Coordinates of all heavy atoms in Angstrom, one line a residue:
M153 N 81.3 91.6 107.4 CA 81.4 92.9 106.8 C 82.3 93.8 107.6 O 82.2 93.8 108.8 CB 80.0 93.5 106.6 CG 80.0 94.8 105.9 SD 78.4 95.3 105.6 CE 78.7 97.0 105.0
V154 N 83.2 94.5 107.0 CA 84.1 95.4 107.6 C 83.4 96.7 107.9 O 82.8 97.3 107.0 CB 85.4 95.6 106.8 CG1 86.4 96.6 107.5 CG2 86.1 94.2 106.6
E155 N 83.6 97.3 109.1 CA 83.1 98.6 109.4 C 83.9 99.6 108.6 O 85.1 99.5 108.5 CB 83.1 98.9 110.9 CG 82.1 98.0 111.6 CD 82.1 98.4 113.1 OE1 82.0 99.6 113.4 OE2 82.1 97.5 113.9
N156 N 83.2 100.7 108.1 CA 83.9 101.7 107.3 C 84.8 102.6 108.1 O 85.7 103.2 107.5 CB 82.9 102.5 106.5 CG 82.3 101.7 105.4 OD1 82.9 100.8 104.9 ND2 81.0 102.1 105.1
N157 N 84.6 102.7 109.4 CA 85.4 103.7 110.1 C 86.5 103.1 111.1 O 86.9 103.7 112.0 CB 84.4 104.6 111.0 CG 83.7 103.8 112.0 OD1 83.6 102.6 112.0 ND2 83.1 104.5 113.0
I158 N 86.9 101.9 110.8 CA 87.9 101.3 111.6 C 89.3 101.4 110.8 O 89.3 101.2 109.6 CB 87.6 99.8 111.8 CG1 86.3 99.7 112.6 CG2 88.8 99.1 112.6 CD1 86.2 100.3 113.9
Y159 N 90.3 101.9 111.6 CA 91.6 102.1 111.0 C 92.7 101.3 111.7 O 92.6 101.1 112.9 CB 92.0 103.6 111.1 CG 91.2 104.4 110.1 CD1 89.9 104.8 110.3 CD2 91.9 104.9 109.0 CE1 89.2 105.5 109.4 CE2 91.1 105.7 108.0 CZ 89.8 106.0 108.3 OH 89.1 106.8 107.4
L160 N 93.7 101.0 110.9 CA 95.0 100.5 111.5 C 95.9 101.7 111.3 O 95.7 102.5 110.4 CB 95.5 99.3 110.8 CG 94.9 97.9 111.1 CD1 93.4 97.9 110.7 CD2 95.6 96.8 110.5
T161 N 97.1 101.7 112.1 CA 98.1 102.8 111.9 C 99.4 102.1 111.5 O 99.9 101.3 112.3 CB 98.2 103.6 113.2 OG1 96.9 104.1 113.5 CG2 99.2 104.7 113.0
W162 N 99.9 102.5 110.4 CA 101.2 102.0 109.9 C 102.3 103.0 110.3 O 102.1 104.2 110.1 CB 101.2 101.8 108.4 CG 102.6 101.4 107.9 CD1 103.4 102.2 107.2 CD2 103.2 100.2 108.0 NE1 104.6 101.5 106.9 CE2 104.4 100.2 107.4 CE3 102.8 98.9 108.6 CZ2 105.3 99.2 107.3 CZ3 103.7 97.9 108.5 CH2 104.9 98.0 107.9
S163 N 103.4 102.5 111.0 CA 104.4 103.4 111.3 C 105.5 103.3 110.2 O 106.2 102.2 110.1 CB 105.0 102.9 112.7 OG 106.2 103.7 112.9
N164 N 105.8 104.3 109.5 CA 106.8 104.4 108.5 C 108.2 104.3 109.2 O 109.2 103.8 108.7 CB 106.7 105.6 107.6 CG 105.6 105.4 106.6 OD1 105.4 104.4 106.0 ND2 104.7 106.4 106.6
E165 N 108.2 104.9 110.4 CA 109.5 105.0 111.2 C 109.9 103.6 111.6 O 111.1 103.2 111.5 CB 109.3 105.9 112.4 CG 110.5 106.0 113.3 CD 110.3 106.9 114.5 OE1 109.2 107.4 114.6 OE2 111.3 107.0 115.3
H166 N 109.0 102.8 112.1 CA 109.3 101.5 112.7 C 109.0 100.3 111.7 O 109.4 99.2 112.0 CB 108.5 101.2 114.0 CG 108.8 102.2 115.0 ND1 110.0 102.1 115.8 CD2 108.2 103.3 115.4 CE1 110.0 103.1 116.7 NE2 108.9 103.9 116.5
R167 N 108.4 100.6 110.6 CA 108.0 99.7 109.6 C 107.2 98.5 110.2 O 107.4 97.3 109.9 CB 109.3 99.1 108.9 CG 110.3 100.1 108.4 CD 109.7 101.1 107.4 NE 109.3 100.4 106.1 CZ 108.5 101.0 105.2 NH1 108.1 102.2 105.4 NH2 108.2 100.4 104.2
R168 N 106.3 98.9 111.0 CA 105.3 98.0 111.7 C 104.0 98.6 111.9 O 103.8 99.8 111.8 CB 105.9 97.6 113.1 CG 107.3 97.0 113.1 CD 107.3 95.5 113.0 NE 108.6 94.9 113.3 CZ 109.6 94.8 112.5 NH1 109.6 95.4 111.3 NH2 110.7 94.1 112.8
W169 N 103.0 97.8 112.3 CA 101.7 98.3 112.6 C 101.7 98.7 114.1 O 102.4 98.1 114.9 CB 100.7 97.2 112.4 CG 100.5 96.8 111.0 CD1 101.0 95.7 110.4 CD2 99.8 97.5 110.0 NE1 100.7 95.6 109.1 CE2 100.0 96.7 108.8 CE3 99.1 98.7 109.9 CZ2 99.4 97.1 107.6 CZ3 98.6 99.1 108.7 CH2 98.7 98.3 107.6
W170 N 100.9 99.8 114.4 CA 100.7 100.1 115.9 C 100.0 99.0 116.6 O 99.1 98.4 116.0 CB 99.9 101.4 116.0 CG 100.7 102.6 115.9 CD1 101.6 103.0 114.9 CD2 100.6 103.7 116.8 NE1 102.1 104.2 115.2 CE2 101.6 104.7 116.3 CE3 99.9 104.0 117.9 CZ2 101.7 105.9 117.0 CZ3 100.1 105.2 118.6 CH2 101.0 106.1 118.1
G171 N 100.3 98.7 117.8 CA 99.6 97.7 118.6 C 98.3 98.2 119.2 O 98.1 99.4 119.1
P172 N 97.5 97.3 119.8 CA 96.3 97.8 120.4 C 96.6 98.8 121.5 O 97.5 98.7 122.2 CB 95.7 96.5 121.0 CG 96.4 95.4 120.2 CD 97.7 95.9 119.8
G173 N 95.7 99.8 121.6 CA 95.9 100.8 122.6 C 97.1 101.7 122.4 O 97.5 102.4 123.4
G174 N 97.7 101.6 121.3 CA 98.9 102.4 121.0 C 100.2 101.9 121.7 O 101.2 102.6 121.9
H175 N 100.2 100.6 122.0 CA 101.3 100.0 122.7 C 102.1 99.1 121.8 O 101.6 98.1 121.3 CB 100.8 99.2 123.9 CG 100.1 100.0 125.0 ND1 100.7 100.9 125.8 CD2 98.8 100.1 125.2 CE1 99.9 101.5 126.6 NE2 98.7 101.1 126.2
G176 N 103.3 99.4 121.5 CA 104.2 98.6 120.7 C 103.9 98.6 119.2 O 103.0 99.3 118.7
Y177 N 104.8 97.9 118.5 CA 104.7 97.8 117.0 C 104.8 96.4 116.7 O 105.6 95.6 117.2 CB 105.9 98.6 116.4 CG 105.9 100.1 116.8 CD1 106.6 100.6 117.9 CD2 105.1 101.0 116.1 CE1 106.6 101.9 118.2 CE2 105.1 102.3 116.4 CZ 105.8 102.8 117.5 OH 105.8 104.1 117.8
L178 N 103.9 96.0 115.8 CA 103.7 94.6 115.5 C 103.8 94.3 114.0 O 103.4 95.1 113.1 CB 102.4 94.1 116.0 CG 102.1 94.4 117.4 CD1 100.6 94.3 117.7 CD2 102.9 93.4 118.3
K179 N 104.4 93.2 113.6 CA 104.5 92.8 112.2 C 103.2 92.3 111.6 O 102.9 92.5 110.4 CB 105.6 91.7 112.0 CG 107.0 92.1 112.2 CD 107.9 90.9 112.0 CE 109.4 91.3 112.2 NZ 110.2 90.2 111.9
Q180 N 102.4 91.6 112.4 CA 101.3 90.9 111.9 C 100.0 91.8 111.9 O 99.7 92.4 112.9 CB 101.0 89.7 112.7 CG 102.1 88.6 112.7 CD 102.4 88.1 111.3 OE1 101.4 87.8 110.6 NE2 103.6 87.9 111.0
I181 N 99.3 91.9 110.7 CA 98.1 92.7 110.6 C 97.1 92.2 111.7 O 96.4 93.0 112.3 CB 97.6 92.6 109.2 CG1 98.5 93.4 108.2 CG2 96.2 93.2 109.1 CD1 98.2 93.2 106.8
A182 N 97.0 90.9 111.8 CA 96.0 90.3 112.7 C 96.1 90.8 114.1 O 95.2 90.9 114.9 CB 96.0 88.8 112.7
D183 N 97.4 91.2 114.5 CA 97.7 91.6 115.9 C 97.6 93.1 116.1 O 97.7 93.6 117.2 CB 99.1 91.1 116.3 CG 99.2 89.6 116.3 OD1 98.2 88.9 116.5 OD2 100.3 89.1 116.1
A184 N 97.5 93.8 115.0 CA 97.5 95.3 115.0 C 96.3 95.9 115.7 O 95.3 95.3 115.8 CB 97.6 95.8 113.6
G185 N 96.5 97.0 116.3 CA 95.4 97.7 117.0 C 94.4 98.2 116.0 O 94.7 98.6 114.9
R186 N 93.1 98.2 116.4 CA 92.1 98.8 115.6 C 91.6 100.1 116.3 O 91.4 100.1 117.5 CB 90.8 97.9 115.6 CG 90.8 96.8 114.5 CD 92.0 96.0 114.3 NE 91.9 95.0 113.3 CZ 92.8 94.2 112.9 NH1 94.0 94.3 113.5 NH2 92.6 93.3 112.1
Y187 N 91.5 101.1 115.5 CA 91.2 102.5 116.0 C 90.0 103.0 115.2 O 89.9 102.8 114.0 CB 92.3 103.4 115.8 CG 93.6 102.9 116.6 CD1 94.5 102.1 115.8 CD2 93.8 103.1 117.9 CE1 95.7 101.6 116.5 CE2 94.9 102.6 118.6 CZ 95.8 101.9 117.9 OH 96.9 101.4 118.5
N188 N 89.1 103.8 115.9 CA 88.1 104.5 115.1 C 88.7 105.6 114.4 O 89.9 105.9 114.5 CB 86.9 104.9 116.1 CG 87.3 106.0 117.0 OD1 88.1 106.9 116.7 ND2 86.8 105.9 118.2
E189 N 87.9 106.2 113.5 CA 88.5 107.2 112.6 C 89.2 108.4 113.3 O 90.3 108.8 113.0 CB 87.4 107.8 111.7 CG 87.9 108.7 110.6 CD 86.8 109.2 109.7 OE1 85.6 108.9 109.9 OE2 87.1 109.7 108.6
A190 N 88.5 108.9 114.4 CA 89.1 110.0 115.1 C 90.4 109.6 115.8 O 91.3 110.4 115.8 CB 88.0 110.5 116.2
E191 N 90.4 108.4 116.4 CA 91.7 108.0 117.0 C 92.8 107.8 116.0 O 94.0 108.2 116.2 CB 91.5 106.6 117.7 CG 90.6 106.7 118.9 CD 90.1 105.3 119.4 OE1 90.0 104.4 118.6 OE2 89.9 105.2 120.6
G192 N 92.5 107.2 114.9 CA 93.5 107.0 113.8 C 94.1 108.2 113.3 O 95.3 108.4 113.1
L193 N 93.2 109.2 113.1 CA 93.7 110.5 112.6 C 94.4 111.3 113.6 O 95.4 112.0 113.3 CB 92.5 111.3 112.0 CG 91.8 110.7 110.8 CD1 90.6 111.5 110.4 CD2 92.7 110.5 109.6
E194 N 94.0 111.2 114.9 CA 94.7 111.9 115.9 C 96.1 111.3 116.1 O 97.1 112.1 116.2 CB 94.0 111.7 117.3 CG 94.6 112.4 118.4 CD 93.9 112.3 119.7 OE1 92.9 111.5 119.8 OE2 94.3 112.9 120.7
I195 N 96.3 110.0 116.1 CA 97.6 109.4 116.1 C 98.5 110.0 115.1 O 99.7 110.4 115.3 CB 97.5 107.9 116.0 CG1 96.9 107.3 117.2 CG2 99.0 107.3 115.7 CD1 96.5 105.8 117.1
C196 N 98.0 110.0 113.8 CA 98.9 110.4 112.7 C 99.1 111.9 112.7 O 100.2 112.4 112.3 CB 98.2 110.0 111.4 SG 98.2 108.1 111.3
T197 N 98.1 112.7 113.1 CA 98.3 114.1 113.2 C 99.3 114.5 114.3 O 100.2 115.3 114.0 CB 96.9 114.8 113.6 OG1 96.0 114.5 112.5 CG2 97.1 116.3 113.7
N198 N 99.3 113.8 115.4 CA 100.2 114.1 116.5 C 101.6 113.8 116.1 O 102.6 114.4 116.4 CB 99.9 113.4 117.8 CG 98.6 113.9 118.5 OD1 98.2 115.1 118.2 ND2 98.0 113.1 119.3
A199 N 101.8 112.7 115.3 CA 103.1 112.2 114.8 C 103.7 113.2 113.8 O 104.9 113.3 113.7 CB 103.0 110.9 114.2
M200 N 102.8 114.0 113.2 CA 103.4 115.0 112.2 C 104.0 116.2 112.8 O 104.7 116.9 112.2 CB 102.3 115.4 111.2 CG 101.9 114.3 110.3 SD 100.8 114.9 108.9 CE 99.6 115.9 109.7
L201 N 103.7 116.5 114.1 CA 104.1 117.7 114.7 C 105.7 117.7 114.8 O 106.3 116.7 115.2 CB 103.6 117.8 116.1 CG 102.0 117.9 116.2 CD1 101.6 118.0 117.6 CD2 101.6 119.2 115.5
G202 N 106.3 118.7 114.3 CA 107.8 118.7 114.3 C 108.5 118.0 113.2 O 109.7 117.9 113.1
R203 N 107.7 117.4 112.3 CA 108.2 116.7 111.2 C 108.8 117.6 110.1 O 108.3 118.6 109.8 CB 107.1 115.9 110.5 CG 107.5 115.1 109.3 CD 106.3 114.4 108.7 NE 105.4 115.2 107.9 CZ 105.6 115.5 106.6 NH1 106.6 115.0 106.0 NH2 104.7 116.2 105.9
R204 N 109.9 117.2 109.6 CA 110.5 118.0 108.5 C 109.7 117.7 107.2 O 109.3 116.6 106.9 CB 112.0 117.6 108.3 CG 112.9 118.1 109.4 CD 114.3 117.7 109.2 NE 114.7 117.6 107.8 CZ 115.9 117.1 107.4 NH1 116.7 116.6 108.3 NH2 116.2 117.0 106.1
G205 N 109.5 118.7 106.4 CA 108.7 118.6 105.2 C 109.3 117.7 104.2 O 108.6 117.2 103.3
D206 N 110.6 117.4 104.2 CA 111.2 116.5 103.2 C 111.3 115.1 103.6 O 111.8 114.3 103.0 CB 112.6 117.0 102.9 CG 113.6 117.0 104.1 OD1 113.1 116.9 105.2 OD2 114.8 117.0 103.8
R207 N 110.6 114.7 104.7 CA 110.5 113.4 105.2 C 109.2 112.8 105.0 O 108.2 113.5 105.0 CB 110.9 113.4 106.7 CG 112.2 113.9 107.1 CD 113.3 112.9 106.8 NE 114.5 113.5 107.4 CZ 115.7 113.1 106.8 NH1 115.8 112.3 105.9 NH2 116.8 113.6 107.3
P208 N 109.1 111.4 104.9 CA 107.8 110.8 104.7 C 107.0 111.0 106.1 O 107.5 111.2 107.1 CB 108.0 109.4 104.4 CG 109.5 109.2 104.9 CD 110.2 110.5 104.8
L209 N 105.7 110.9 106.0 CA 104.8 110.9 107.2 C 105.3 109.8 108.1 O 105.5 108.7 107.7 CB 103.3 110.7 106.8 CG 102.7 111.8 106.0 CD1 101.3 111.4 105.6 CD2 102.7 113.1 106.7
P210 N 105.4 110.1 109.4 CA 105.9 109.1 110.3 C 104.9 108.0 110.5 O 105.2 106.8 110.7 CB 106.2 109.8 111.6 CG 105.7 111.2 111.4 CD 105.3 111.4 110.0
E211 N 103.6 108.3 110.5 CA 102.5 107.4 110.8 C 101.4 107.6 109.7 O 101.2 108.8 109.3 CB 101.9 107.6 112.2 CG 102.9 107.7 113.3 CD 103.8 106.6 113.5 OE1 103.5 105.4 113.1 OE2 104.8 106.8 114.1
T212 N 100.8 106.5 109.3 CA 99.8 106.6 108.2 C 98.5 105.9 108.6 O 98.6 104.7 109.0 CB 100.3 106.0 106.9 OG1 101.6 106.7 106.6 CG2 99.3 106.2 105.8
P213 N 97.4 106.5 108.6 CA 96.1 105.8 108.9 C 95.7 105.0 107.7 O 95.8 105.4 106.6 CB 95.1 106.9 109.2 CG 95.6 108.1 108.4 CD 97.1 107.9 108.3
V214 N 95.4 103.7 107.9 CA 95.0 102.8 106.9 C 93.6 102.3 107.2 O 93.5 101.5 108.2 CB 96.0 101.7 106.7 CG1 95.6 100.8 105.5 CG2 97.4 102.2 106.5
P215 N 92.6 102.5 106.3 CA 91.3 102.0 106.6 C 91.3 100.4 106.6 O 91.9 99.8 105.6 CB 90.5 102.5 105.4 CG 91.2 103.7 104.9 CD 92.6 103.4 105.1
L216 N 90.7 99.8 107.6 CA 90.7 98.4 107.7 C 90.1 97.7 106.4 O 90.5 96.7 106.0 CB 89.9 97.9 108.9 CG 89.8 96.4 109.2 CD1 91.2 95.8 109.3 CD2 89.0 96.1 110.4
K217 N 89.1 98.4 105.8 CA 88.5 97.8 104.6 C 89.5 97.7 103.5 O 89.4 96.7 102.7 CB 87.3 98.6 104.2 CG 87.6 100.1 103.7 CD 86.4 100.8 103.4 CE 86.7 102.3 103.1 NZ 85.5 103.1 102.9
L218 N 90.5 98.5 103.4 CA 91.5 98.4 102.4 C 92.5 97.3 102.7 O 93.0 96.6 101.8 CB 92.2 99.7 102.1 CG 91.2 100.8 101.5 CD1 92.1 102.1 101.3 CD2 90.6 100.3 100.2
V219 N 92.8 97.2 104.0 CA 93.7 96.1 104.4 C 93.1 94.8 104.1 O 93.7 93.9 103.5 CB 94.0 96.2 105.9 CG1 94.8 95.0 106.4 CG2 94.8 97.5 106.2
D220 N 91.8 94.6 104.5 CA 91.1 93.4 104.2 C 91.0 93.1 102.7 O 91.2 91.9 102.3 CB 89.7 93.4 104.8 CG 89.6 93.2 106.3 OD1 90.7 92.9 106.9 OD2 88.5 93.4 106.9
F221 N 90.8 94.1 101.9 CA 90.8 93.9 100.5 C 92.2 93.4 100.0 O 92.2 92.5 99.2 CB 90.5 95.3 99.8 CG 90.7 95.4 98.3 CD1 89.9 94.7 97.5 CD2 91.8 96.1 97.9 CE1 90.2 94.8 96.1 CE2 92.0 96.2 96.5 CZ 91.3 95.5 95.6
A222 N 93.2 94.1 100.4 CA 94.6 93.6 99.9 C 94.9 92.3 100.4 O 95.5 91.4 99.6 CB 95.6 94.7 100.4
V223 N 94.6 92.0 101.6 CA 95.0 90.6 102.2 C 94.1 89.5 101.6 O 94.5 88.4 101.4 CB 94.9 90.7 103.7 CG1 95.0 89.3 104.3 CG2 95.9 91.6 104.3
G224 N 92.9 89.9 101.2 CA 91.9 89.0 100.7 C 92.1 88.6 99.3 O 91.2 88.0 98.7
G225 N 93.2 88.9 98.7 CA 93.5 88.5 97.4 C 92.8 89.4 96.3 O 92.5 88.8 95.2
L226 N 92.7 90.6 96.6 CA 92.1 91.6 95.6 C 90.7 91.2 95.2 O 90.4 91.3 94.0 CB 93.0 91.7 94.4 CG 94.5 92.1 94.8 CD1 95.3 92.2 93.5 CD2 94.5 93.5 95.5
K227 N 89.9 90.7 96.1 CA 88.5 90.3 95.9 C 87.6 91.1 96.9 O 87.1 90.5 97.8 CB 88.3 88.8 96.0 CG 89.2 88.0 95.0 CD 89.0 86.6 95.2 CE 90.0 85.8 94.3 NZ 90.0 84.4 94.6
P228 N 87.4 92.4 96.6 CA 86.5 93.1 97.6 C 85.1 92.6 97.5 O 84.6 92.3 96.4 CB 86.6 94.5 97.1 CG 86.9 94.4 95.7 CD 87.8 93.2 95.5
S229 N 84.4 92.6 98.6 CA 83.0 92.2 98.7 C 82.2 93.3 98.0 O 81.1 93.1 97.5 CB 82.5 91.9 100.1 OG 82.8 93.1 100.9
N230 N 82.7 94.5 98.1 CA 82.1 95.7 97.5 C 83.1 96.5 96.7 O 83.8 97.3 97.2 CB 81.4 96.6 98.6 CG 80.7 97.8 98.0 OD1 80.6 97.9 96.8 ND2 80.3 98.7 98.9
P231 N 83.2 96.2 95.4 CA 84.2 96.9 94.5 C 84.0 98.4 94.5 O 85.0 99.1 94.2 CB 83.9 96.3 93.1 CG 83.2 95.1 93.3 CD 82.4 95.2 94.6
A232 N 82.9 98.9 94.9 CA 82.7 100.4 94.9 C 83.6 101.1 95.9 O 83.8 102.3 95.8 CB 81.2 100.7 95.2
I233 N 84.2 100.4 96.9 CA 85.1 101.0 97.8 C 86.4 101.3 97.2 O 87.2 102.1 97.7 CB 85.3 100.2 99.1 CG1 86.1 98.9 98.8 CG2 84.0 99.9 99.8 CD1 86.6 98.2 100.1
I234 N 86.7 100.7 96.1 CA 88.0 101.0 95.4 C 87.8 102.1 94.3 O 86.8 102.0 93.5 CB 88.5 99.7 94.7 CG1 88.5 98.5 95.7 CG2 89.9 99.9 94.1 CD1 89.4 98.7 96.9
P235 N 88.6 103.2 94.4 CA 88.4 104.2 93.4 C 88.4 103.7 92.0 O 89.2 102.8 91.7 CB 89.6 105.2 93.7 CG 90.0 104.9 95.0 CD 89.7 103.4 95.3
S236 N 87.6 104.3 91.1 CA 87.5 103.8 89.7 C 88.8 103.7 89.0 O 89.1 102.9 88.2 CB 86.5 104.6 88.9 OG 86.9 105.9 88.9
R237 N 89.7 104.7 89.3 CA 91.0 104.8 88.6 C 91.9 103.6 89.0 O 92.8 103.2 88.2 CB 91.7 106.1 88.9 CG 92.1 106.3 90.3 CD 92.7 107.7 90.5 NE 93.1 107.9 91.9 CZ 92.3 108.2 92.9 NH1 91.0 108.4 92.6 NH2 92.7 108.3 94.1
C238 N 91.6 103.0 90.1 CA 92.4 101.8 90.6 C 91.8 100.5 90.2 O 92.5 99.5 89.9 CB 92.5 101.8 92.1 SG 93.3 103.2 92.8
R239 N 90.5 100.5 90.0 CA 89.8 99.2 89.6 C 90.3 98.7 88.3 O 90.6 97.5 88.1 CB 88.3 99.4 89.5 CG 87.6 99.4 90.9 CD 86.1 99.3 90.7 NE 85.6 100.6 90.2 CZ 84.8 101.4 90.8 NH1 84.4 101.1 92.0 NH2 84.4 102.5 90.2
K240 N 90.6 99.6 87.3 CA 91.1 99.2 86.0 C 92.4 98.5 86.1 O 92.7 97.4 85.6 CB 91.1 100.3 85.0 CG 91.5 99.9 83.6 CD 91.4 101.1 82.7 CE 91.7 100.6 81.3 NZ 91.6 101.7 80.3
S241 N 93.4 99.1 86.8 CA 94.7 98.6 86.9 C 94.7 97.3 87.7 O 95.6 96.4 87.5 CB 95.7 99.6 87.5 OG 95.3 99.9 88.9
L242 N 93.8 97.1 88.7 CA 93.7 95.9 89.5 C 92.8 94.8 88.8 O 92.6 93.8 89.3 CB 93.1 96.2 90.8 CG 94.0 97.1 91.7 CD1 93.2 97.5 93.0 CD2 95.3 96.4 92.1
R243 N 92.2 95.2 87.6 CA 91.4 94.3 86.8 C 90.2 93.9 87.6 O 89.8 92.7 87.6 CB 92.2 93.1 86.3 CG 93.3 93.5 85.4 CD 94.0 92.4 84.9 NE 95.2 92.9 84.2 CZ 95.9 92.3 83.3 NH1 95.7 91.0 83.1 NH2 96.9 92.8 82.7
I244 N 89.5 94.8 88.3 CA 88.3 94.6 89.0 C 87.2 95.0 88.1 O 87.2 96.1 87.6 CB 88.3 95.4 90.3 CG1 89.4 94.9 91.3 CG2 87.0 95.3 91.1 CD1 89.6 95.7 92.5
P245 N 86.1 94.2 88.0 CA 85.0 94.6 87.1 C 84.5 96.0 87.5 O 84.4 96.4 88.7 CB 83.9 93.5 87.4 CG 84.7 92.4 87.9 CD 85.9 92.9 88.6
G246 N 84.0 96.8 86.5 CA 83.5 98.1 86.8 C 84.6 99.1 86.7 O 84.4 100.3 87.0
G247 N 85.8 98.8 86.3 CA 86.9 99.7 86.3 C 87.1 100.4 85.1 O 86.7 100.8 84.2

């Protein structure tokens, strides 16, 4: 079971996942750093400082439960974690 408060950080600037401990950028999800909610949000908040409003967010926090869902072939163990408006388009029961 995936913990609800674990995040990965996607770098839009580098097009890679943040590495463990904030070191480096990695292509593979399996190698990406895992951060608790506060760490993930802090990374992304700090990256927004000085950002121009017409540019995409430099870093994006991504809940691990959603990464596992996407990588797992769209078969969540708990469909309730997917917003109802998304369940229908993904053809998940209960949508």
Side-chain angles (χ1 to χ4, degrees):
M153 182 173 171
V154 177
E155 292 185 45
N156 288 333
N157 65 343
I158 301 298
Y159 285 76
L160 281 67
T161 301
W162 175 254
S163 173
N164 287 310
E165 179 182 358
H166 298 278
R167 311 302 295 165
R168 305 270 192 279
W169 298 101
W170 273 51
H175 300 286
Y177 300 94
L178 306 163
K179 289 183 181 181
Q180 301 298 319
I181 292 171
D183 299 331
R186 271 48 174 179
Y187 302 95
N188 65 39
E189 184 175 16
E191 292 168 329
L193 295 176
E194 180 180 7
I195 289 167
C196 297
T197 301
N198 290 341
M200 288 190 319
L201 299 175
R203 173 182 84 84
R204 287 181 31 194
D206 63 341
R207 301 279 186 210
L209 294 174
E211 316 297 339
T212 304
V214 182
L216 180 59
K217 64 185 175 185
L218 295 181
V219 172
D220 283 349
F221 165 72
V223 172
L226 304 178
K227 297 176 185 172
S229 58
N230 179 6
I233 67 169
I234 307 302
S236 60
R237 65 184 181 279
C238 298
R239 283 192 290 244
K240 185 174 183 181
S241 64
L242 295 172
R243 298 180 186 196
I244 296 173

